[in-house]
Amino acid sequence: ILKNEKRLFEYARIIQEQNNRLSKNVEKVLNLATIEKNRLRLNLEETNLIEFLTETTNHFKQSDFGRKAQIKTGFNGFNAVVFTDRFHFSNLIVNILENAVKYCEQEPEIKIELSKKRKSYELSFTDNGIGISKEYRKKIFTKFYRVPTGNVHNVKGFGLGLDYVLKIVKAHGWKIRVDENPEGGSIFTITIRE
């Protein structure tokens, strides 16, 4: 292996990728344990929502999952300022984006849109993935739950990500729902109070 530089770099890349994956999973488990052990204390900061979404999306585009996806944004150019825990909110967004890529059997396309409602903003993530049957949509936010796929287990995971997402949404006093994308895939919508 040492004499074959190309092979050596490929093995190093695989080790690094697996190490990053394990680190993320350990971080998720520790975050969830902290949330469950004592009430989550959010570090709320005044945040320009559009700048934050742009920054988080750009970071995601540089990740392994992000490089595989086409991401389009529609933020309508209005000034949206909210109070949020930037660390947890960033993890929430990345989790939804990673799932959109993981559960897609073609080139992943994700559309992130922000719209203004009366006293809230609606942040939606529309993907072209495999979608989620109506009967499973409420269950996907349960810890360790994974949508049944028969004997095919081609996507790795522990069923922790969306449980974390729901806990962060609730801790902020927000709401989340999942709808079917009429063109195929899912739409995750977060209602964010001003």
Side-chain angles (χ1 to χ4, degrees):
I1 293 172
L2 293 175
K3 292 178 183 174
N4 186 338
E5 196 174 294
K6 208 174 187 181
R7 225 165 137 192
L8 180 64
F9 279 117
E10 179 60 15
Y11 285 145
R13 186 194 65 74
I14 291 168
I15 290 167
Q16 180 66 42
E17 195 175 281
Q18 292 302 314
N19 187 34
N20 289 341
R21 193 174 70 78
L22 282 171
S23 293
K24 283 181 185 175
N25 284 327
V26 167
E27 186 182 333
K28 277 182 194 172
V29 170
L30 291 174
N31 277 329
L32 283 168
T34 303
I35 290 168
E36 287 171 6
K37 190 172 181 185
N38 30 359
R39 292 196 76 136
L40 175 66
R41 290 193 187 102
L42 296 178
N43 180 23
L44 298 176
E45 301 175 60
E46 189 175 77
T47 303
N48 181 306
L49 197 47
I50 293 168
E51 284 176 12
F52 182 77
L53 290 168
T54 303
E55 181 185 317
T56 305
T57 304
N58 286 340
H59 282 271
F60 177 74
K61 285 178 181 175
Q62 295 165 20
S63 71
D64 289 338
F65 281 121
R67 282 194 288 268
K68 296 174 188 171
Q70 254 187 52
I71 301 174
K72 294 179 184 170
T73 56
F75 298 144
N76 299 328
F78 54 82
N79 189 28
V81 176
V82 296
F83 283 88
T84 183
D85 183 303
R86 295 171 67 87
F87 172 76
H88 287 295
F89 190 29
S90 173
N91 285 344
L92 178 158
I93 292 167
V94 168
N95 198 293
I96 291 173
L97 294 175
E98 283 181 355
N99 281 350
V101 175
K102 276 199 299 191
Y103 295 98
C104 189
E105 295 173 340
Q106 53 194 314
E107 184 184 350
E109 293 176 8
I110 307 164
K111 190 166 31 172
I112 307 170
E113 295 178 293
L114 185 67
S115 60
K116 177 84 171 91
K117 299 299 175 192
R118 290 182 85 188
K119 291 188 177 180
S120 63
Y121 298 100
E122 286 212 339
L123 175 61
S124 65
F125 301 83
T126 304
D127 67 53
N128 65 334
I130 59 174
I132 304 162
S133 299
K134 193 171 185 176
E135 62 187 297
Y136 301 126
R137 286 188 204 142
K138 288 200 181 202
K139 296 177 183 176
I140 61 170
F141 294 105
T142 306
K143 191 183 349 179
F144 303 124
Y145 183 81
R146 298 193 65 206
V147 174
T149 55
N151 289 328
V152 181
H153 302 285
N154 54 352
V155 178
K156 294 178 179 133
F158 299 106
L160 294 171
L162 290 177
D163 176 57
Y164 172 74
V165 164
L166 181 62
K167 282 181 168 70
I168 298 308
V169 164
K170 283 185 171 179
H172 280 86
W174 302 343
K175 292 182 180 172
I176 187 167
R177 73 175 189 273
V178 186
D179 298 298
E180 180 183 357
N181 178 359
E183 297 169 19
S186 301
I187 303 171
F188 283 77
T189 305
I190 302 169
T191 303
I192 301 171
R193 291 183 304 139
E194 279 187 290

